[in-house]
Amino acid sequence: MKALRFASIVLAAGLLAGCASSAPSSASGDTVTLTVFAAASLQETLTEAAELYRQTVPGVEILYNFDSSGTLKTQIEEGADCDIFLSAGQKQMDQLDIGADPSVNTDGLDFVDDTTRLDILENKVTLCVPEGNPAGITSFDVLSERLAAGDVLMAMGNEDVPVGQYTQNILAWYGLDEAALAREGCLTYGSNVKEVTSQITEGAVDCGVIYCTDAYSAGLTPVDYATEEMCGQVIYPAAVLKTSAYPDEARAFLDFLCSDEVGRIFESVGFTALA
């Protein structure tokens, strides 16, 4: 199994008073460690949520692994220990869910406890530019014209990354050929949305397509927002995995992430809480 790149620290966490009755601790009284695999775009908000969780009765620790949803899906498939999966796209969750469309779950993988699966958040896909906008990119319409002319450099996610898949939809909506643009040197790629965001903030590209939440976290002001018609809805599903060693504690933490308190944390950076 590939070595995991854990992108966050271990955060001690307890059970909310309102959830205590539904969240049993380990029989021996030892601390339980839950491993949560989450899309990179959730890093700031989930870290804050776990800190809030920690302030209550100790007993559960949260170990986060933040990366692209495609990378996380592969790690789970290869046997990585994971209690909860939060994806930035339905495709990666469906690929692990035996109840999903077989045309998506082509390998018949059965990792998701479908009694816990829910759509937890909605995000927005945005077009962002470096400080000062030196290339003068002001909208997706302008970007499409500049890409067609071959005089702009845009950052986007890889094809196995949800933000990259949404960007591919936008390119297709404008009738642009991604492969041709890549050959012409108009595109650069990132393995997750944080890498794309860094290319924009560092001024290494003229523009990039990221989520509004990552733009907020990086201090970027979007110049345009993709519509549902252009790229579809950006829905984040979450679920406890059947392989979880602590399914009760995992369910309790997922319930906590659906609470009004955590919903306010998500919405403060531009998410729409759905659960």
Side-chain angles (χ1 to χ4, degrees):
M1 181 177 67
K2 296 179 181 177
L4 301 184
R5 294 189 300 125
F6 286 96
S8 69
I9 60 173
V10 179
L11 297 171
L15 302 176
L16 285 181
C19 297
S21 62
S22 62
S25 60
S26 62
S28 65
D30 294 336
T31 297
V32 166
T33 299
L34 292 178
T35 303
V36 179
F37 281 29
S41 51
L42 292 165
Q43 184 166 346
E44 291 82 8
T45 49
L46 284 185
T47 299
E48 185 175 349
E51 185 64 28
L52 178 61
Y53 203 56
R54 182 190 64 80
Q55 295 171 11
T56 63
V57 180
V60 177
E61 292 184 344
I62 307 300
L63 179 63
Y64 284 129
N65 178 22
F66 295 108
D67 211 317
S68 74
S69 299
T71 296
L72 298 176
K73 174 262 176 185
T74 298
Q75 291 174 351
I76 292 169
E77 181 181 358
E78 293 179 347
D81 291 334
C82 177
D83 296 288
I84 299 172
F85 180 35
L86 290 92
S87 174
Q90 299 285 10
K91 178 180 179 180
Q92 290 73 22
M93 186 69 77
D94 285 345
Q95 289 174 329
L96 297 172
D97 188 349
I98 194 64
D101 188 331
S103 67
V104 180
N105 187 351
T106 55
D107 295 321
L109 301 178
D110 187 14
F111 286 88
V112 174
D113 179 351
D114 59 8
T115 66
T116 67
R117 180 173 175 172
L118 75 163
D119 293 338
I120 191 170
L121 297 167
E122 183 176 5
N123 210 338
K124 297 292 183 184
V125 173
T126 66
L127 175 62
C128 289
V129 297
E131 184 177 358
N133 192 9
I137 306 297
T138 56
S139 68
F140 278 111
D141 288 347
V142 171
L143 172 62
S144 68
E145 294 172 358
R146 298 286 296 276
L147 284 171
D151 66 350
V152 69
L153 179 60
M154 182 188 82
M156 62 180 285
N158 291 338
E159 64 179 1
D160 65 335
V161 181
V163 73
Q165 294 160 2
Y166 294 125
T167 308
Q168 288 178 321
N169 291 343
I170 293 170
L171 294 175
W173 191 79
Y174 278 105
L176 296 168
D177 184 334
E178 179 191 353
L181 292 173
R183 286 195 301 270
E184 293 166 5
C186 295
L187 302 177
T188 68
Y189 293 87
S191 64
N192 59 51
V193 70
K194 295 300 183 186
E195 289 188 6
V196 179
T197 303
S198 293
Q199 292 183 52
I200 302 168
T201 57
E202 293 168 3
V205 293
D206 296 314
C207 61
V209 180
I210 59 176
Y211 300 122
C212 70
T213 52
D214 292 283
Y216 178 92
S217 297
L220 295 169
T221 300
V223 296
D224 202 0
Y225 293 82
T227 64
E228 182 177 345
E229 182 183 15
M230 292 165 65
C231 68
Q233 282 186 286
V234 185
I235 303 296
Y236 286 53
V240 175
L241 298 188
K242 291 182 177 180
T243 53
S244 172
Y246 306 106
D248 292 334
E249 288 84 354
R251 283 172 180 260
F253 185 63
L254 185 54
D255 286 344
F256 167 71
L257 294 180
C258 297
S259 67
D260 290 341
E261 288 179 279
V262 179
R264 286 190 286 272
I265 294 173
F266 288 134
E267 291 180 347
S268 70
V269 300
F271 281 114
T272 298
L274 301 177

